[in-house]
Amino acid sequence: MNRLGNLVIDSISPNAAKGNKDFSDKLDSLSSFIYLSQKELTRFLENRDTLVWNLKSIQARHKHLVEFALKTWNPSTWHKS
């Protein structure tokens, strides 16, 4: 579970307000926050009907973030003329 796909940027106060709840219980607060990384989490749910954040969700988001980082910060494509 300790993978890039399971990390979300959040500040101390909002994070504490969410508490240690299940993913589905946090959805209302996640969709109202300013950080896009929190709003996008539902894209990676294995089954959007059950709203369960599981290992497949984490792996899918991890893969997406790694691909984004490699494409965005690829040194060979930084300075094209």
Side-chain angles (χ1 to χ4, degrees):
M1 296 293 253
N2 293 323
R3 299 187 67 120
L4 180 61
N6 205 26
L7 299 176
V8 177
I9 296 173
D10 206 353
S11 57
I12 294 171
S13 180
N15 187 43
K18 290 180 193 105
N20 190 16
K21 301 175 188 171
D22 287 336
F23 179 79
S24 58
D25 295 332
K26 293 182 180 183
L27 276 178
D28 288 336
S29 62
L30 290 175
S31 61
S32 65
F33 280 94
I34 61 171
Y35 299 116
L36 293 177
S37 61
Q38 293 178 359
K39 293 178 183 179
E40 73 166 4
L41 293 178
T42 55
R43 288 180 40 199
F44 301 100
L45 296 177
E46 182 180 11
N47 181 347
R48 292 184 187 194
D49 295 329
T50 60
L51 301 177
V52 174
W53 185 254
N54 59 20
L55 186 57
K56 286 189 178 188
S57 306
I58 294 167
Q59 290 170 333
R61 185 165 181 258
H62 176 91
K63 181 181 176 190
H64 171 77
L65 291 172
V66 169
E67 288 172 356
F68 171 82
L70 290 173
K71 179 181 173 188
T72 303
W73 296 296
N74 182 345
S76 64
T77 60
W78 280 357
H79 301 287
K80 288 188 174 181
S81 43

